[in-house]
Amino acid sequence: MHGVGGIEGEDPTFDQARQPARVIAALGITPGQHIADIGAGRGYFTLRLSDAVGPEGQLVSTDVDDAVIQQLRMRVSARKNVVVRKVGPDDPGLEAGAYDLILLSEVDHFLSDRAAYLMKLRAALAPHGRIAVTHLRAMRPPLVAAAQAAGLFVASEDTSLPDHYLLILQPASSH
């Protein structure tokens, strides 16, 4: 069973460990960008991501779970720059060459084949696009191995979060 994710403000201890403001700042999002939040759940980062891209940008939030998709749609119904999509477990449901940033927050361990999924995400990146992954530190080695198998390299890493890492992945060559 997949987790449904949290909502910022529900659990102060979780927020302290996750550091949502620091994560969003580290992503370097600029207004007008087109980004995706893969496995958004109930939208832990959704509102902050929506604010970061601004009214000219777009956020696509995806999940596989009908119940959380419904909750997320209700949370963002007034936000015109957020599109919520239900996707299959092995299909990110993203257009090719369209995304400046794709975020995976505590979801890569649910993927049946991390490398194959990351290859699909790589195809969805715009030129100079990036994939950001944040997860518990213990989950880093399998993600890095999968990224390398998918032709991605670690462009940068933020290790200042209490229990999590934040990796920025980019294609090893032009796609």
Side-chain angles (χ1 to χ4, degrees), residues 24 27 38 57 59 61 63-64 67 69 76 79 89 91-92 105 109 122 126 129 131 145 147 149 151 172:
I24 296 300
L27 294 176
I38 302 297
L59 169 63
S61 293
D63 207 279
V64 299
I69 286 287
V76 301
R79 291 182 177 247
D91 179 12
S105 173
H109 63 288
R122 179 182 171 176
I131 298 170

Side-chain angles (χ1 to χ4, degrees), residues 13 35 49-50 52 64 81 86 96 100-101 106 112 121 123 131 134 157 159 172-173:
T13 316
I35 63 177
L49 292 168
S50 169
V64 299
N81 67 347
K86 178 159 193 297
D100 299 300
L101 176 72
E106 293 194 354
S112 61
L121 294 181
I131 298 170
T134 182
E157 181 170 5
T159 57
S173 61

